Amino acid sequence: MKRSFALPLLFVLACKPPTPAEQMDAVVSWVSTAGMAGDAWLRHTTPDNYTRQALQLSNQQLLEIGTELRKSPPPAIDGATLDSVLTRSRFHIAQMARLVEEKNAPDFKTQLDSLRTDQRLVKQLSDSVESTQ
Amino acid sequence: MKKILQLALGVITSVGGFLEIGSVTTAAQAGAQFGYQLLWAILLGTLCLIFLIEMSGRLSAVSKHTIVDAMRERFGFPFFFIVLVGMVIIAFMVLVAELGGIGFGLQILTGVAFPWWAIPVSFVVWLLMWKGSFSLIENGASLLGLVTISFIVSAFKLHPDWSGVASGLVPSIPETDKARHGFLAVSILGASISPYLMYFYSSGAIEDKWDRSYIPINRFIAGFGMTFGGVLSMGVLVVAALALQPKGIQVETFPQAALLMTTALPRWGFYLFAASMIVACFGAALEISLAIAYFFAQGFGWNWSEDLEPSKNSRFAFVYTIIILLAAIPLLLGVDPIKVTMMSMALTSATLPLAIVPFLFLMNDPIYLGKYRNGWISNSVVAVIILISFVLALISIPLQIMGG
Amino acid sequence: MEVNVELLIGTKVRDADGNDVGRIEEFRVERKDNSCTVESYLIGAAGLISRLSAWTLVRPIARALHARKLYYLYDVPWKDMDLSDPKRPKLRIARGDLRHAR
Amino acid sequence: MNLVRDVLDKKLIDREDCCMGRVSGLVMHVSESAPPSVTHILVGGPTLWMRVHPFLGRLSKRLATIWGPKRNEPVKIPWSRVETVGRDVKLDVKGKDTGALDWEIWVAQHIIERIPGGGSEEEE
């Protein structure tokens, strides 16, 4: 009985920190999320509010993971490259979030296309981290 | 004729009971990260559930006792109390998660953040229990639940590689991320084999006044209903494997899950997902609140029936009122429902033996079941489930720490 | 003297010489008209099994494991039980004189 | 008949098929000359919690005197009122008169009836 009370506490306290490979996976995941949400919005199949929130969320998540990565960068890749691609992605995502509000689809598409380029780069970086593990 | 109708409704009800925020998130996470590899966990969970649900219904139909009635009578109050504490804590967490799921569904539709929905959503759930009848809740929630079939439609539209799907039905161990893989398998099993479903089902059999003549119907409902539910879960996993995994999207948050069906059904996928989530979580929230109230009322021998006026079974009504009020609080504070879900799934696995071991005794009780008690096949199945549940209980905590 | 039945369940019983006999698990009663009288007390693991109505489940397992000796049952007639201290029930006879049931 | 398996923890049903709780405890009268006889059925919280732990029993007794229907003595139903012992224990009493439903009525009057749509506990 005591066990059932102590367990939830234990869960909250104990969760091991993510490895660099997991962090890179998360980066890929969030950049792709932004891309996919952007696609859906361009097709007019998702509400503006949702799209803006999803973009803001991925921007914020990328910021957090980026800060962590800067503290302990994965040894296999160039820290500066990673840093710049993260900053660029976040810039595009932030622009997209703004353009949703303005309902400016053409400019949104331009930003989305640039994000796609960064998405591929992020994927390459993540793969190289994975292969060195 | 009436029985045929009941049969159809029963099957749909069990679908409603099966698919909820836990099974959707775990299946989506599994598909997004490991492709078809974890399909076997859904298959195993579904098979276990078919047997457990059939037994729950049979116990009620023959003995006119619910599982909780019988457990209190056979094992006495001190043991009952331990199960009560464990069951209420976990069911409460699941309830918080389901209410959060409804709130999230509304959030992606309207843009209003989910903590704002905590009060209105809890109120509507409560109002339905307060004013509604059992059949309204059972049948209404389940008919609406048919919208979740869109998961299967999406899976087909993405043309999965069927040989890959089939190989996923056989357990395998991945080369990397073993802890995460194990954690997700445990969570999927925890999401499928949820004891509250057994308690709810056996109470429902009493509410619907089942007798021995319902044994074949019960068998049919358990078999087809749970299979149907399992296939829906597999649909979620397959869609996630095809739509999210290639892009490397993991399902950590709800806005990511919302993109699940946008590839398969570009036009309606987003809205169908939101609707499915709202409806499925709503049905589950009702079932869990009632299951908790049933548990108290039956265990302590109070009057209980969802069809009575609240004041005619005041303590029963009081329990679900309090529990739904309390469940709104963590959501108001902005606790992440997905985290609560994952935690409650692992905890369900950890406490499974507590629910299943007494159940084995009850299902062999000659006084309750006479000649309808478990045969050796059913007993072997329960023995295997107990074995699985002990393994789950032992590994779920370390896996939560390493893979959660 | 008044004794609470529910608190007697699971209490250890000693015999007249102070030896451990087992725990009280069940009470055999006789119902007549408006009264209900205790005929005997069941002591030992087998009493627990019959209390849980679990023979159909336990018997085949025990047979397969040849573990029939693990469970035992003393059927103590009411005359032989001294409940003057309900927390420490005592037998009025020695363990050796007890009747094995079943 | 076996006392623990067949009577203890069984549901109590009154004359009007109303559930009155479960058999929380049983009192038996012990004497030197005659076989012990079961005299009363006990219903209610303190008896129940005493079975889990004496501390909880005392706590529950204490709380019962300061909150709710404020009952100092446990509900005792004479064994002579028992009609049948089967799936449930049927009693020849009116549940409300025994005190076993005090809490049910208290919750109904103090909480449930005050919420709109709760109905009234009194009407038949």
Side-chain angles (χ1 to χ4, degrees):
Chain A
M1 236 154 55
K2 267 184 197 143
R3 208 179 57 150
S4 17
F5 288 113
L7 276 181
L9 248 176
L10 205 122
F11 279 98
V12 180
L13 294 176
C15 231
K16 80 171 169 65
T19 63
E22 279 166 0
Q23 280 174 313
M24 285 309 293
D25 281 345
V27 170
V28 174
S29 167
W30 282 110
V31 175
S32 307
T33 303
M36 202 168 169
D39 276 338
W41 186 75
L42 275 182
R43 284 196 309 259
H44 305 290
T45 54
T46 48
D48 296 351
N49 272 327
Y50 160 76
T51 314
R52 206 190 61 237
Q53 282 176 2
L55 291 171
Q56 281 166 349
L57 181 67
S58 72
N59 187 358
Q60 182 203 337
Q61 292 283 336
L62 286 172
L63 176 67
E64 281 169 22
I65 306 166
T67 322
E68 288 296 312
L69 277 171
R70 202 170 302 151
K71 273 187 223 153
S72 53
I77 50 175
D78 181 24
T81 322
L82 178 63
D83 223 35
S84 69
V85 72
L86 271 179
T87 317
R88 268 206 313 279
S89 311
R90 284 189 39 234
F91 171 77
H92 296 313
I93 295 171
Q95 288 299 313
M96 281 157 67
R98 185 177 59 80
L99 292 164
V100 168
E101 237 155 324
E102 293 171 10
K103 298 196 191 300
N104 185 340
D107 288 354
F108 187 93
K109 191 167 184 325
T110 326
Q111 294 290 343
L112 183 59
D113 288 338
S114 326
L115 184 68
R116 287 261 175 268
T117 328
D118 292 329
Q119 194 180 335
R120 277 189 289 276
L121 190 57
V122 167
K123 185 88 184 76
Q124 280 165 15
L125 289 172
S126 166
D127 288 344
S128 59
V129 170
E130 216 114 298
S131 59
T132 54
Q133 286 256 307
Chain B
M1 186 58 215
K2 193 178 153 249
K3 283 195 175 165
I4 294 177
L5 186 72
Q6 234 171 349
L7 213 116
L9 282 170
V11 170
I12 306 168
T13 308
S14 23
V15 175
F18 199 103
L19 211 67
E20 35 82 52
I21 188 168
S23 45
V24 173
T25 10
T26 48
Q29 289 191 338
Q33 198 165 356
F34 295 104
Y36 303 138
Q37 276 182 45
L38 277 159
L39 274 172
W40 64 268
I42 300 182
L43 181 69
L44 181 63
T46 309
L47 285 176
C48 292
L49 199 59
I50 289 175
F51 277 90
L52 293 175
I53 290 293
E54 189 275 329
M55 288 174 205
S56 312
R58 178 152 45 94
L59 178 72
S60 293
V62 177
S63 75
K64 307 278 163 44
H65 278 67
T66 64
I67 300 172
V68 181
D69 285 332
M71 193 164 61
R72 164 83 197 263
E73 286 175 14
R74 277 293 171 265
F75 295 92
F77 184 71
F79 180 82
F80 165 79
F81 177 63
I82 296 173
V83 181
L84 176 84
V85 171
M87 146 82 189
V88 168
I89 290 177
I90 292 168
F92 178 77
M93 286 169 67
V94 181
L95 178 60
V96 171
E98 305 297 344
L99 293 176
I102 308 172
F104 260 144
L106 292 164
Q107 175 180 344
I108 60 173
L109 284 180
T110 62
V112 179
F114 75 89
W116 291 100
W117 292 106
I119 300 281
V121 163
S122 312
F123 179 73
V124 173
V125 172
W126 172 80
L127 196 65
L128 255 170
M129 290 190 285
W130 190 255
K131 290 300 246 182
S133 66
F134 184 75
S135 51
L136 174 80
I137 287 175
E138 195 183 26
N139 305 335
S142 50
L143 281 174
L144 286 172
L146 287 176
V147 69
T148 52
I149 289 176
S150 52
F151 285 120
I152 300 183
V153 176
S154 310
F156 275 96
K157 282 200 81 175
L158 292 171
H159 306 294
D161 149 36
W162 292 109
S163 63
V165 170
S167 68
L169 292 172
V170 181
S172 58
I173 293 171
E175 283 160 23
T176 55
D177 289 329
K178 283 195 183 65
R180 179 81 188 147
H181 185 95
F183 171 71
L184 279 175
V186 169
S187 304
I188 289 175
L189 286 170
S192 325
I193 316 174
S194 36
Y196 83 82
L197 211 57
M198 293 160 56
Y199 301 136
F200 181 80
Y201 189 82
S202 84
S203 306
I206 302 283
E207 294 253 30
D208 286 338
K209 303 195 171 55
W210 283 13
D211 55 28
R212 273 158 215 222
S213 68
Y214 280 80
I215 290 179
I217 295 182
N218 170 49
R219 211 154 269 175
F220 188 88
I221 291 178
F224 279 79
M226 295 303 134
T227 307
F228 201 4
V231 169
L232 278 173
S233 274
M234 290 185 190
V236 175
L237 188 143
V238 168
V239 174
L242 291 169
L244 303 182
Q245 201 204 12
K247 294 197 166 76
I249 296 180
Q250 298 165 8
V251 184
E252 285 164 55
T253 64
F254 217 72
Q256 291 170 306
L259 296 167
L260 203 57
M261 290 199 276
T262 52
T263 317
L265 308 165
R267 199 168 177 76
W268 294 106
F270 177 84
Y271 296 99
L272 279 173
F273 177 82
S276 301
M277 264 341 265
I278 293 171
V279 166
C281 293
F282 197 85
L286 280 169
E287 289 187 4
I288 295 162
S289 325
L290 282 177
I292 297 176
Y294 285 144
F295 205 99
F296 274 93
Q298 293 160 7
F300 288 97
W302 307 336
N303 281 322
W304 61 272
S305 169
E306 179 43 27
D307 293 337
L308 284 176
E309 209 175 26
S311 61
K312 295 283 187 299
N313 45 12
S314 65
R315 288 180 284 190
F316 172 74
F318 178 68
V319 171
Y320 66 65
T321 305
I322 286 290
I323 213 85
I324 202 100
L325 261 177
L326 289 177
I329 295 173
L331 292 171
L332 272 177
L333 299 174
V335 170
D336 182 357
I338 293 209
K339 290 216 173 88
V340 179
T341 306
M342 297 316 280
M343 214 185 280
S344 65
M345 295 304 128
L347 271 178
T348 305
S349 304
T351 51
L352 215 46
L354 209 57
I356 310 288
V357 174
F359 191 56
L360 176 67
F361 281 84
L362 298 180
M363 289 314 295
N364 282 284
D365 196 317
I367 299 175
Y368 285 139
L369 285 158
K371 64 174 175 155
Y372 295 101
R373 61 178 192 268
N374 271 3
W376 66 271
I377 300 180
S378 312
N379 273 338
S380 322
V381 173
V382 184
V384 171
I385 296 175
I386 289 180
L387 205 70
I388 297 174
S389 73
F390 271 106
V391 173
L392 289 182
L394 286 176
I395 62 173
S396 61
I397 306 304
L399 279 176
Q400 165 92 26
I401 293 164
M402 289 179 338
Chain C
M1 193 187 59
E2 308 239 291
V3 177
N4 281 66
V5 171
E6 75 278 8
L7 298 179
L8 274 181
I9 305 166
T11 33
K12 270 193 186 150
V13 180
R14 294 185 183 278
D15 73 352
D17 307 326
N19 297 316
D20 218 341
V21 181
R23 291 170 190 274
I24 301 182
E25 299 291 357
E26 183 60 281
F27 304 73
R28 283 230 169 105
V29 292
E30 187 70 41
R31 274 193 76 194
K32 251 184 256 150
D33 304 325
N34 272 340
S35 71
C36 175
T37 51
V38 176
E39 302 277 295
S40 60
Y41 304 86
L42 302 187
I43 297 176
L48 174 69
I49 296 167
S50 65
R51 185 176 105 203
L52 298 177
S53 176
W55 281 111
T56 42
L57 184 66
V58 176
R59 195 176 286 126
I61 298 173
R63 238 177 235 159
L65 298 174
H66 299 288
R68 239 176 289 183
K69 275 181 190 155
L70 272 182
Y71 47 82
Y72 59 97
L73 181 70
Y74 294 121
D75 191 329
V76 182
W78 67 270
K79 279 194 187 105
D80 297 337
M81 179 71 86
D82 174 11
L83 286 173
S84 48
D85 179 358
K87 285 198 177 126
R88 283 173 209 79
K90 254 171 46 195
L91 298 185
R92 294 199 169 93
I93 52 174
R95 192 171 55 183
D97 299 334
L98 275 175
R99 181 159 69 91
H100 267 281
R102 234 189 282 220
Chain D
M1 194 171 75
N2 290 350
L3 213 48
V4 183
R5 188 190 65 193
D6 299 330
V7 183
L8 195 67
D9 290 307
K10 279 263 157 81
K11 193 147 81 178
L12 293 164
I13 308 282
D14 80 348
R15 225 180 266 150
E16 287 152 358
D17 279 332
C18 173
C19 305
M20 302 167 45
R22 288 181 178 276
V23 181
S24 314
L26 291 158
V27 180
M28 72 180 175
H29 185 81
V30 185
S31 67
E32 293 281 322
S33 50
S37 67
V38 178
T39 54
H40 290 96
I41 291 175
L42 298 174
V43 193
T47 319
L48 216 48
W49 294 113
M50 194 57 101
R51 286 165 70 183
V52 183
H53 198 276
F55 170 75
L56 288 174
R58 284 193 296 274
L59 187 75
S60 154
K61 213 175 210 164
R62 200 89 151 279
L63 288 177
T65 56
I66 53 171
W67 199 61
K70 296 197 187 150
R71 201 188 169 85
N72 295 323
E73 285 299 306
V75 176
K76 275 183 154 182
I77 297 162
W79 182 270
S80 56
R81 294 293 184 162
V82 173
E83 280 202 328
T84 52
V85 176
R87 186 164 42 152
D88 306 307
V89 176
K90 281 228 153 116
L91 300 174
D92 181 30
V93 293
K94 195 166 187 310
K96 283 181 186 168
D97 300 339
T98 59
L101 289 171
D102 281 5
W103 268 103
E104 182 85 22
I105 296 166
W106 190 86
V107 172
Q109 287 175 347
H110 288 79
I111 301 161
I112 302 297
E113 284 176 15
R114 298 190 180 178
I115 305 172
S120 163
E121 166 269 324
E122 288 293 331
E123 69 196 49
E124 290 304 315

